[in-house]
């Protein structure tokens, strides 16, 4: 950073320490952000990125350390003070009131909106800023009616209107469609050009390389490295994150598939228009496609959470079209939902309890009719070690864990059951490259053991890396299915664009 | 007919004040199960205040304080210490019932007999000119003071919730306290204040009973009106005017039942007295499913 040393930085954080119980989430972190620059903040799940940003924004008090923003110290502050000083935070899970309109969300907690709200004047400012930045937001639209990409723009709009000089974006692209990502990066460049500083937290190397000026990598609560982006390679950054070399994505081993384990014929449901495929043991069918084309409907209908309107589903020859979710689980189906906050986990229950959810009636979780707390904890400790679930202990509530570690609970639970068929929907969502690799390896091992895997993901690269065959879901049906060896990217792109195109 | 409507308004007034208080509490995200206890404490405090202080104003002042005390108790236990809203509210109701009955006997100088207090009722304050309008004049502009206050309260609360920064922060806290916190509000403070204010306003509802309608305090005199107020605010979709409409419906039901009794319709009076509550149950069953609760109601704050 030759030029960065000249000007005094917009933000200086020094020696930030923050512990949760025995875990030191931040262990003496220094961070500088310059005005007019985008800083990429990288790190594995649980490396302390979110904690650091929450400390900065006044949502968590640090145990030690100091913060200087625009030459003034920030200490013992709350979010209101951080915002007044000119810091805005765009959370991974948007901090918006869904039941309120865009302009109400903008006015909430903003002194300029007045004690008695000047709603019309604020709506005009929303419209004006929305036009200037190309955000395309209607001030009177209820937030609940907006797609995720638009909701994020509401958060950005809040920051712009409050004239924030530093924007923190926590994994802002993880729930955006590719076209929305491009739009977001364009907005970030524009904000940089206006001289604002940006902290951009992400796992996705291409985005880092595209938009960031420099990168700081955290590992286990400490700074593992800093580097300007110019001249850095994705490989090098990934290695900094995990502290060891990460091999390229695994090449699926070619092997003869076994007998058909899951057969789906003409499956229809609201959002699904006649899906047909057969999935063999020892095979992974990767399902690509833009989110919202029937992914959730397909996954939940297979799992028994939605009713099929027509068609037939058989598992190992047994008709399960109208079987309950529990009967499907008993028949050997495992399901990893995309929505881990609601469908996959009970956040208020402990890690150990979440791990036993599907198999609570069987040893080691139960002895006869009674649950066995000792068996549960023992098994949980084993799985936490095996799957690297970082929590204070088996009795920690699942909701306290970082997003990636929550996902690892789901992965551990479903894979530990040794299912005949696994339906995985966005199984690596929010996982860092090391953990992603680990999950993919586990699925390959499951496949090599003779199970069948349906791998649904909006990350095309991942689908291509793991699928033995690739299907593209568009408009509620398979637009095409192709063996991986014969996969042709332009053709897949056309399929993804949909039948409507 | 005018008389019938006047009776409906009279009966609706205490309900409406309690419901207005409940709206504050529930929009901030705390179930207002304790309305009954807050009303009862208000009715008692109003009686003592007016009796000892010698003026209705003293009674009203003490009613605000009495309701607020129950509100404070609920706020500390349910908001600060994050206890279950339902259990806390019910406990507050039982506490208020016992406490007011006990204090009424203490006020009599001990000995186990309740104090015998008789207060002059707050009479109508006709508004010049308007009160002389046909029908409407008598209904709306020749009412006792606390009835005007309830109507003004509807307007004031509507403006507060929809047009002020504090109202926005209150509603945001009931919908998504984490987001409200991130936007710079203090959800703990908002909820504490909302529940205490709920107690004060519901206490006024109790004062209507003792100062404006009965003229004394008797044990458990609210007789379930707090729960009816709770039903009203749900039926009214957590909006002041919606709650007012619901209170009027319940008031009309009770007024109708009083008439039935005077006309000597051969139905047990106990059956007739159930009418408002049966209506409340029916309306809740029909509307209940579509009624959208504040999203974070009953959910304790994370530290």
């Amino acid at each position: 950073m030759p030029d960065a040393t000249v000007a005094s930085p917009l933000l200086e954080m020094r020696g930030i320490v923050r512990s949760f119980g025995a875990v030191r989430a931040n262990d003496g972190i220094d961070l500088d952000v310059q005005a007019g620059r985008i800083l990429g903040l990288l790190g594995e799940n649980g490396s302390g990125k979110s904690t650091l940003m929450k400390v900065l924004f006044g949502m968590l008090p640090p145990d030690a350390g100091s913060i200087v923003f625009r030459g003034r110290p920030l200490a013992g502050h709350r979010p209101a003070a951080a915002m007044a000083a000119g810091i805005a935070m765009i959370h991974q899970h948007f901090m918006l009131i869904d039941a309120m309109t865009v302009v109400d969300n903008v006015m909430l907690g903003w002194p300029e909106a007045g004690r008695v709200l000047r709603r019309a004047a604020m709506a005009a400012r929303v419209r004006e800023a929305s036009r200037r930045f190309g955000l395309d937001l209607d001030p009177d639209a209820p937030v609940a009616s907006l797609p995720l990409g638009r909701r994020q723009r509401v958060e950005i709009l809040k920051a712009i209107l409050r004239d924030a000089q530093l924007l923190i974006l926590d994994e802002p692209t993880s729930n955006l469609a590719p076209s929305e990502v491009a739009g977001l990066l364009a907005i970030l460049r524009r904000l940089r050009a206006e001289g604002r500083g940006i902290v951009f937290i992400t796992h996705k190397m291409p985005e880092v390389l595209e938009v960031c000026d420099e990168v700081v990598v955290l590992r286990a609560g400490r700074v593992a490295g800093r580097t300007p982006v110019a001249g850095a390679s994705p490989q090098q950054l990934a290695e900094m994150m995990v502290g060891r070399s990460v091999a390229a994505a695994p090449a699926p081993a070619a092997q003869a598939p076994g007998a058909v384990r899951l057969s789906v014929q003409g499956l229809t449901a609201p959002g699904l228009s006649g899906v047909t495929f057969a999935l063999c043991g020892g095979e992974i069918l990767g399902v690509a496609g833009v989110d919202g084309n029937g992914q959730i409907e397909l996954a939940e209908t297979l799992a028994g959470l939605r009713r099929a309107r027509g068609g037939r589903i058989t598992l190992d020859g047994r008709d399960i079209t109208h079987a309950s979710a529990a009967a499907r689980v008993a028949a050997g189906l495992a399901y990893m939902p995309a929505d881990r906050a609601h469908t996959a986990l009970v956040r208020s229950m402990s890690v150990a309890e979440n791990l036993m959810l599907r198999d609570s009636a069987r040893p080691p979780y139960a002895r006869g009719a009674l649950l066995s707390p000792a068996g549960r904890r023992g098994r949980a400790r084993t799985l936490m070690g095996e799957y690297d679930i970082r929590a204070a202990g088996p009795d920690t509530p699942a909701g306290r864990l970082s997003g990636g570690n929550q996902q690892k609970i789901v992965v551990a639970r479903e894979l530990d059951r040794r299912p005949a068929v696994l339906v995985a929907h966005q199984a690596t969502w929010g996982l860092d490259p090391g953990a992603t690799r680990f999950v993919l390896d586990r699925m390959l091992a499951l496949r090599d053991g003779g199970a069948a895997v349906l791998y649904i993901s909006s990350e095309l690269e991942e689908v291509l890396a793991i699928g033995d065959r690739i299907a593209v879901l568009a408009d509620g049906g398979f637009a095409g299915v192709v063996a991986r060896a014969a996969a042709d990217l332009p053709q897949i792109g056309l399929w993804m664009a949909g039948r409507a195109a | 007919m005018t008389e019938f409507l006047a009776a409906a308004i009279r009966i609706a007034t205490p309900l409406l004040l309690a419901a207005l208080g409940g709206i504050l509490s529930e929009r901030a995200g705390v179930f207002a199960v304790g309305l009954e206890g807050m009303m009862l404490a208000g009715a008692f405090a109003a009686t003592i205040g007016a009796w000892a202080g010698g003026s209705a104003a003293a009674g009203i002042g003490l009613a605000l304080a009495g309701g607020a005390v129950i509100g404070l108790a609920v706020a500390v236990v349910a908001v600060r210490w994050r206890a279950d809203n339902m259990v806390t509210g019910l406990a507050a109701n039982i506490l208020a019932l016992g406490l007011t009955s006990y204090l009424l006997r203490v006020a009599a100088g001990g000995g186990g007999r309740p104090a015998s207090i008789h207060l002059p009722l707050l009479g109508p304050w006709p508004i010049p000119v308007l009160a002389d309008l046909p029908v409407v004049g008598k209904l709306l502009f020749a009412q006792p003071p606390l009835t005007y206050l309830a109507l003004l309260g509807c307007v004031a609360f509507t403006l507060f919730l929809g047009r002020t920064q504090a109202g926005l922060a209150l509603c945001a806290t009931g919908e998504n306290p984490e987001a409200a916190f991130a936007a710079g509000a203090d959800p703990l403070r908002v909820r504490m204040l909302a529940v205490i204010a709920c107690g004060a306003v519901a206490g006024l509802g109790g004062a209507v009973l003792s100062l404006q309608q009965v003229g004394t305090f008797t044990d458990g005199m609210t007789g379930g009106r707090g729960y009816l107020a709770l039903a009203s605010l749900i039926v009214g979709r957590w909006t002041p005017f919606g709650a007012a409409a619901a209170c009027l419906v319940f008031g009309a039901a009770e007024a109708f039942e009083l008439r039935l009794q005077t006309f000597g319709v051969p139905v047990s009076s106990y059956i007739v007295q159930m009418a408002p509550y049966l209506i409340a149950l029916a309306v809740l069953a029909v509307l209940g499913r579509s009624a959208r609760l504040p999203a974070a109601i009953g959910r304790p704050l994370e530290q």
Side-chain angles (χ1 to χ4, degrees):
Chain A
M1 305 178 278
D3 55 341
T5 47
V6 183
S8 91
L10 185 64
L11 170 76
E12 291 175 75
M13 298 179 85
R14 290 286 174 270
I16 303 294
V17 176
R18 168 74 203 202
S19 303
F20 296 101
V23 180
R24 280 206 150 187
N26 284 177
D27 191 5
I29 294 180
D30 296 347
L31 188 78
D32 287 351
V33 183
Q34 315 290 334
R37 289 173 78 88
I38 302 180
L39 174 96
L41 187 60
L42 293 180
E44 293 186 89
N45 306 120
S47 61
K49 305 175 303 265
S50 291
T51 302
L52 183 66
M53 291 301 112
K54 282 183 177 164
V55 165
L56 169 58
F57 197 57
M59 298 182 84
L60 286 173
D63 301 331
S66 66
I67 304 171
V68 177
F69 181 65
R70 295 165 90 184
R72 281 204 296 271
L74 265 182
H77 58 298
R78 285 172 164 270
M83 282 188 290
I87 301 174
M89 181 144 172
I90 290 148
H91 299 262
Q92 184 179 357
H93 302 289
F94 304 140
M95 290 290 181
L96 295 172
I97 315 290
D98 294 350
M100 292 184 180
T101 61
V102 170
V103 67
D104 280 358
N105 270 284
V106 167
M107 292 190 299
L108 178 62
W110 188 26
E112 262 186 64
R115 274 173 182 281
V116 174
L117 300 169
R118 296 181 292 130
R119 189 173 268 115
M122 293 300 125
R125 286 184 64 173
V126 167
R127 257 182 230 109
E128 187 272 326
S130 166
R131 208 169 22 241
R132 191 156 59 93
F133 282 85
L135 301 177
D136 188 23
L137 285 170
D138 170 11
D140 298 319
V143 166
S145 73
L146 301 178
L148 290 176
R150 286 278 175 84
R151 292 188 198 190
Q152 184 175 60
R153 292 182 189 179
V154 178
E155 294 274 30
I156 293 173
L157 182 80
K158 276 164 70 175
I160 293 170
L161 285 176
R162 287 166 200 220
D163 198 28
Q165 292 307 305
L166 177 69
L167 282 83
I168 306 160
L169 295 101
D170 191 356
E171 294 191 38
T173 59
S174 55
N175 16 7
L176 297 189
S179 59
E180 290 176 321
V181 171
L184 173 68
L185 297 186
I187 293 168
L188 294 188
R189 288 199 191 89
R190 183 134 190 193
L191 291 168
R192 170 173 61 188
E194 290 189 346
R196 301 178 210 246
I198 294 172
V199 177
F200 183 54
I201 303 177
T202 183
H203 291 313
K204 299 178 183 170
M205 297 302 161
E207 291 166 6
V208 173
L209 296 174
E210 192 179 335
V211 80
C212 293
D213 299 300
E214 60 190 304
V215 176
V216 169
V217 179
L218 300 188
R219 193 192 321 142
R222 293 166 174 272
V223 175
R226 311 167 196 271
T227 176
V229 160
S233 75
Q235 199 65 20
Q236 187 192 343
L237 292 177
E239 283 176 26
M240 255 196 224
M241 279 169 69
V242 295
R244 60 189 145 79
S245 72
V246 182
Q255 63 168 29
V260 172
R261 304 209 78 167
L262 179 73
S263 156
V264 174
Q265 283 151 19
L267 185 65
T268 57
L272 285 184
S273 53
V275 176
T276 298
F277 65 91
L279 188 54
C280 301
E283 183 190 40
I284 296 178
L285 176 62
V287 180
V290 179
D291 267 342
N293 275 284
Q295 280 88 346
I296 186 89
E297 289 83 359
L298 177 61
E300 294 203 339
T301 310
L302 290 176
L305 303 181
R306 293 179 191 231
R307 221 178 273 272
R309 197 180 275 164
R312 213 168 108 88
I313 308 170
T314 58
L315 195 155
D316 283 338
R318 251 184 74 197
D319 188 334
I320 58 162
T321 316
H322 301 292
S324 69
R328 292 175 203 224
V329 166
L333 184 81
Y335 173 44
M336 292 181 196
D339 170 21
R340 73 179 155 234
H342 295 110
T343 318
L345 288 175
V346 184
R347 292 164 55 87
S348 57
M349 280 167 48
S350 70
V351 173
E353 285 166 332
N354 272 290
L355 283 169
M356 83 167 181
L357 273 182
R358 302 257 200 225
D359 295 295
S360 54
R362 273 184 277 170
Y365 300 118
R367 275 208 313 230
L370 296 178
L371 293 176
S372 156
R376 171 167 78 224
R377 278 197 205 99
R379 187 76 199 130
R381 282 205 187 88
T382 311
L383 289 175
M384 286 170 70
E386 213 173 300
Y387 289 85
D388 191 27
I389 301 168
R390 290 180 204 172
D395 296 323
T396 310
R400 293 256 185 90
L401 272 57
S402 72
N405 279 301
Q406 290 182 18
Q407 184 66 16
K408 287 183 201 167
I409 298 177
V410 180
V411 171
R413 180 179 69 209
E414 301 303 330
L415 293 185
D416 184 50
R417 307 184 53 242
R418 315 219 149 277
V421 173
L422 169 68
V423 176
H425 188 194
Q426 303 285 37
T428 62
W429 192 74
L431 293 181
D432 57 64
T436 299
R437 176 65 199 282
F438 175 80
V439 170
L440 295 182
D441 281 346
R442 285 299 180 125
M443 292 203 186
L444 291 171
L446 184 72
R447 175 198 67 178
D448 293 341
V453 179
L454 187 72
Y455 191 87
I456 307 172
S457 171
S458 54
E459 304 278 336
L460 180 60
E461 275 179 46
E462 224 172 82
V463 173
L464 287 171
I466 195 173
D468 297 307
R469 284 187 297 151
I470 314 296
V472 176
L473 200 52
D475 213 9
F478 279 172
V481 184
V482 63
R484 195 179 68 98
D488 169 40
L489 270 181
Q491 177 62 58
I492 288 178
L494 281 179
W495 281 338
M496 284 175 74
R499 296 165 176 181
Chain B
M1 191 62 194
T2 315
E3 246 171 75
F4 170 72
L5 288 177
I9 291 177
R10 182 169 53 80
I11 297 163
T13 303
L15 297 183
L16 178 53
L17 281 166
L20 286 176
I23 287 172
L24 289 182
S25 170
E26 297 222 331
R27 291 292 285 267
V30 182
F31 282 110
V33 184
L35 282 181
E36 176 82 2
M38 295 165 180
M39 277 184 94
L40 194 60
F44 173 77
T47 309
I48 296 298
W51 174 57
S55 77
I60 290 169
L62 211 58
L64 284 166
V69 165
I70 302 292
L72 178 67
V74 172
V76 168
V77 176
V79 179
R80 181 68 187 80
W81 298 109
R82 317 190 320 148
D84 182 86
N85 287 183
M86 297 288 177
V87 177
T88 309
L90 290 173
N93 293 344
I94 297 166
L95 170 79
L97 180 60
L99 193 64
T100 52
S101 299
Y102 167 69
L103 290 177
L104 190 64
R105 283 152 183 81
V106 170
R113 292 216 359 228
S116 156
I117 301 171
H118 294 287
L119 302 167
L121 289 182
L122 276 173
W125 288 3
I127 296 175
V129 186
L130 291 176
D132 299 329
L133 292 171
V135 188
V136 191
K138 189 139 186 286
L139 280 180
L140 295 180
F141 302 109
Q143 292 283 358
L146 291 175
T147 306
Y148 294 133
L149 196 63
L151 291 172
L152 286 178
C154 279
V155 178
F157 276 45
T158 303
L159 291 176
F160 171 75
L161 291 172
R163 302 276 181 85
T164 67
Q165 184 64 248
L168 196 62
L170 183 136
C171 296
T173 300
E175 289 288 340
N176 184 344
E178 293 78 30
F181 181 56
D186 181 347
L188 182 74
R189 199 177 120 89
V190 168
R191 280 192 175 176
M192 294 285 290
L193 289 177
V195 175
I196 294 168
C198 163
V201 179
L204 278 184
V208 174
L209 292 176
S210 55
L211 298 185
Q212 198 165 285
Q213 299 184 354
V214 179
T216 186
F217 181 86
T218 56
D219 295 344
M221 74 183 296
T222 43
R225 284 183 180 78
Y227 297 106
L228 209 50
L230 184 59
S232 313
L233 74 95
I234 295 170
V235 170
R237 297 290 201 280
W238 296 271
T239 63
F241 283 102
C247 289
L248 277 175
V249 170
F250 294 141
E254 204 172 323
F256 182 65
E257 144 213 327
L258 292 172
R259 310 217 121 193
L260 275 186
Q261 281 173 341
T262 53
F263 289 134
V265 177
V267 179
S268 162
S269 63
Y270 294 106
I271 299 275
V272 175
Q273 275 166 19
M274 293 191 301
Y277 299 92
L278 286 174
I279 292 179
L281 279 178
V283 174
L284 284 176
V286 173
L287 292 182
R289 193 182 278 275
S290 61
R292 196 191 157 283
L293 277 163
I297 193 165
R299 205 177 75 207
L301 302 171
E302 299 189 15
Q303 47 280 67

